[in-house]
Amino acid sequence: MFILHTPPQDEKRYTDCKVTVNGISASLPLCRVSAMPYNTAWPGYQRPIDQTEEAAFLSFESDEAVTLTVTYKKAPDKVLVRPLSKGVNVSADGNTTTLTLHTPGAYTVEADGSHHALHVFFNPVKDFKKYTEDAKNILHYPAGVHRVGRVELDSDTTVILDSGAYVYGSFLAVCAQNVTICGYGIIDGSKEKRETVNDLFPLDYYNTIPPDREAILSLIEKNHALDGIVRFYDCKNVRLEGVIMRDSATFACVAARSEDVRIENVKAVGMWRYNSDGIDLFNCSRALIKNCFLRNFDDCIVLKGICGWDDRNMEDILVEGCVTWCDWGRNLEIGAETNAREFKNIVFRDCDCIHGSSILLDIHHHNRAEISSVTFEDIRAEYTRHQLPDTYQHDMNAPFPDFETTKHPLLMAIPIYAMGLFSKDGKHGCVHDVSFKNIQILTDSPIVPVPESAFIGLDKEHTVSRVKVEDVTFNGKALHGDEMRIHRNKFTHDIEIS
């Protein structure tokens, strides 16, 4: 079975290339993405459009292999399909490229570098109606355009977005349980405008946020907190599956002080605005993030400890089978906010980091938590000769610099900072018992060097310790010892590199 997802008639299309899937002409939805890693603290107005570019995405379902042909206006010199680990071969005939995809997943087709990429979402065939069996409330969005604003969800609610449904707005569940948002439709946040008055999320530096619906809703209004795409605040047993999240004004998906969270086969694309993270968990437990695609202008998958919710640990988290493209910041991250007693039992496994900016695998420790039992394993980290250095924009009138040298992202990092950010208590924590195992570094050119890494403790009481790095390869060649280019300071100990 093969089902091609088609956008509504009035939706804008991407026209700089033409695509067929199994011989059927595809209509390509448009998304806006970052064109350069150029960022700044919120300047009071949204990011300039000239730092962005148009790109396309394509979504379909199939239970068999599919063949794509991509016809460009001009014949490219080289076309790559990422993740490189999928080993997708391409054949070129003039300005037409042909490729076959054998398994569901997220892919990018990139001609002569990463600009104006085609994002391909190959979904398994699935009937989402099964999630309505125990639901008391059902919201159904069929194919077409829906302008909904903020939709507040009660317990025992299932939301289904059919393929071809374009829902302009956001979904919010507060102190709810048994909530599901699913389907192959699109949730678009482009109508939300961020202004200086807005906070990114409800935050209280001085008090614990009570697990009370009305209190949280009141804090949202008081802080003028942005809606993003999906919010689960103080929820239990929640699911987000299948949907495409496009163009958020802030963090796209947040689950805060929630438990039994499942986020699966979710795609984030068109994230070009300041602080447009992908999936953020705040002080959650028993959460699974699986088989997702995140392309974001800020961190992709982030586990944070946020003041107000920091009476709960971050624990028992699995991130598995995800593909990340980070246009600014970190791909797979703990932090930078780390307000909690503990972060523990956290695993990032079987993921592809296809593009990065600052750091690919990161424990970014600013606050008081004890962080332990963290594993990064079976990770493919891709590096490109087309890499642009991430750059902070101090002068809002200055164009992105024309660099003569390339700065590649760090591969692994565990820094403990004393910068006084994200909390008022001034306390700091430590990191111990971390494993990096079977990390494959893949490059698209022999001129790309082995990337650097850094483990940096703060002082003799706030250290990075008992870290094990093993089975790291560079284009198939095993790396050992100093070949890994790992920098350490005197506040690290028991670092085992094999």
Side-chain angles (χ1 to χ4, degrees):
M1 178 182 291
F2 168 73
I3 304 171
L4 182 62
H5 301 163
T6 302
Q9 184 174 354
D10 293 339
E11 278 294 311
K12 292 182 179 179
R13 267 61 167 181
Y14 184 81
T15 58
D16 282 356
C17 67
K18 295 181 179 179
V19 176
T20 67
V21 188
N22 287 352
I24 302 171
S25 180
S27 185
L28 300 177
L30 183 71
C31 61
R32 182 166 297 281
V33 297
S34 177
M36 60 194 70
Y38 206 22
N39 202 0
T40 190
W42 173 247
Y45 51 88
Q46 198 45 264
R47 193 173 177 211
I49 288 294
D50 62 8
Q51 295 180 14
T52 72
E53 65 189 26
E54 293 182 346
F57 63 97
L58 170 68
S59 179
F60 56 84
E61 301 161 62
S62 184
D63 55 11
E64 58 190 21
V66 297
T67 297
L68 279 69
T69 64
V70 185
T71 302
Y72 298 96
K73 291 183 177 179
K74 178 184 176 183
D77 292 329
K78 186 174 183 179
V79 176
L80 278 178
V81 177
R82 299 181 189 272
L84 297 177
S85 64
K86 297 293 186 182
V88 177
N89 294 318
V90 300
S91 61
D93 183 7
N95 60 347
T96 296
T97 294
T98 302
L99 57 110
T100 298
L101 305 177
H102 294 277
T103 57
Y107 304 82
T108 61
V109 183
E110 303 175 22
D112 295 330
S114 61
H115 291 293
H116 306 288
L118 170 64
H119 307 76
V120 179
F121 306 136
F122 179 168
N123 299 287
V125 177
K126 187 156 189 176
D127 182 5
F128 291 99
K129 292 180 181 178
K130 69 179 185 179
Y131 295 138
T132 66
E133 293 175 357
D134 298 321
K136 294 180 180 178
N137 311 296
I138 301 171
L139 295 178
H140 178 216
Y141 296 94
V145 175
H146 309 267
R147 304 185 189 280
V148 301
R150 180 207 290 169
V151 179
E152 296 182 11
L153 304 176
D154 295 323
S155 293
D156 304 303
T157 296
T158 294
V159 180
I160 297 182
L161 296 83
D162 291 346
S163 63
Y166 281 59
V167 178
Y168 285 84
S170 64
F171 293 91
L172 169 68
V174 179
C175 299
Q177 58 186 352
N178 307 324
V179 174
T180 293
I181 303 170
C182 63
Y184 289 141
I186 292 174
I187 310 173
D188 184 288
S190 62
K191 303 305 180 184
E192 182 173 34
K193 306 303 179 186
R194 180 180 177 185
E195 298 178 340
T196 299
V197 68
N198 295 118
D199 283 351
L200 297 181
F201 43 83
L203 174 70
D204 194 329
Y205 278 117
Y206 303 101
N207 300 288
T208 298
I209 299 171
D212 173 83
R213 179 184 174 91
E214 294 307 316
I216 293 173
L217 290 174
S218 176
L219 188 61
I220 290 171
E221 298 306 316
K222 176 184 176 182
N223 292 359
H224 304 282
L226 292 165
D227 292 323
I229 304 290
V230 174
R231 296 289 183 267
F232 299 118
Y233 293 149
D234 277 272
C235 290
K236 297 180 180 179
N237 191 29
V238 293
R239 177 189 296 266
L240 178 66
E241 182 175 345
V243 300
I244 297 172
M245 306 186 296
R246 182 175 69 174
D247 196 358
S248 181
T250 176
F251 302 175
C253 174
V254 173
R257 201 167 54 190
S258 295
E259 58 188 54
D260 298 312
V261 177
R262 187 179 184 98
I263 302 173
E264 186 171 2
N265 191 23
V266 169
K267 286 78 67 174
V269 72
M271 305 292 175
W272 61 275
R273 295 192 265 178
Y274 294 124
N275 302 111
S276 56
D277 287 20
I279 298 171
D280 291 58
L281 303 184
F282 302 169
N283 304 86
C284 288
S285 60
R286 298 191 303 276
L288 172 67
I289 302 172
K290 184 175 182 179
N291 296 342
C292 295
F293 173 86
L294 293 307
R295 180 177 181 182
N296 298 89
F297 186 71
D298 218 321
D299 309 320
C300 293
I301 299 176
V302 198
L303 313 183
K304 296 179 179 290
I306 299 295
C307 285
W309 281 300
D310 53 337
D311 58 328
R312 286 278 297 273
N313 288 338
M314 178 75 75
E315 57 189 342
D316 302 324
I317 311 295
L318 173 60
V319 177
E320 182 176 41
C322 294
V323 178
T324 62
W325 176 334
C326 188
D327 284 315
W328 177 272
R330 280 80 168 164
N331 294 61
L332 303 175
E333 181 182 21
I334 294 173
E337 299 94 323
T338 49
N339 292 288
R341 185 171 59 86
E342 290 183 273
F343 281 46
K344 62 183 180 180
N345 302 331
I346 297 168
V347 177
F348 298 90
R349 181 171 66 205
D350 190 25
C351 294
D352 291 273
C353 301
I354 64 172
H355 289 288
S357 170
S358 177
I359 304 168
L360 302 190
L361 314 176
D362 187 28
I363 300 176
H364 195 180
H365 200 354
H366 268 275
N367 305 115
R368 72 177 192 275
E370 177 185 357
I371 300 177
S372 66
S373 301
V374 178
T375 300
F376 295 85
E377 66 180 356
D378 300 330
I379 307 293
R380 279 80 58 186
E382 299 186 20
Y383 285 79
T384 176
R385 68 187 185 280
H386 300 290
Q387 184 74 40
L388 294 172
D390 56 338
T391 304
Y392 194 85
Q393 186 171 13
H394 297 281
D395 178 357
M396 295 307 294
N397 295 313
F400 188 71
D402 184 12
F403 291 95
E404 295 182 358
T405 59
T406 297
K407 173 190 169 189
H408 291 282
L410 297 179
L411 173 63
M412 304 170 288
I414 309 177
I416 302 178
Y417 290 109
M419 296 175 64
L421 298 177
F422 314 122
S423 178
K424 303 299 184 184
D425 63 15
K427 296 179 180 179
H428 298 101
C430 60
V431 182
H432 61 87
D433 294 289
V434 178
S435 173
F436 297 90
K437 183 176 181 180
N438 190 21
I439 311 298
Q440 300 177 45
I441 305 164
L442 305 171
T443 75
D444 60 12
S445 170
I447 68 171
V448 177
V450 173
E452 297 178 78
S453 297
F455 303 149
I456 308 295
L458 176 60
D459 54 38
K460 64 182 181 180
E461 295 180 353
H462 306 98
T463 63
V464 175
S465 64
R466 298 200 297 272
V467 178
K468 187 173 184 179
V469 181
E470 59 182 325
D471 299 327
V472 178
T473 60
F474 181 73
N475 292 328
K477 176 185 177 294
L479 298 178
H480 302 284
D482 292 343
E483 292 178 312
M484 294 190 205
R485 305 179 70 194
I486 299 174
H487 303 279
R488 292 173 281 176
N489 71 356
K490 63 181 180 179
F491 303 120
T492 66
H493 58 89
D494 297 323
I495 310 296
E496 182 179 344
I497 301 173
S498 60

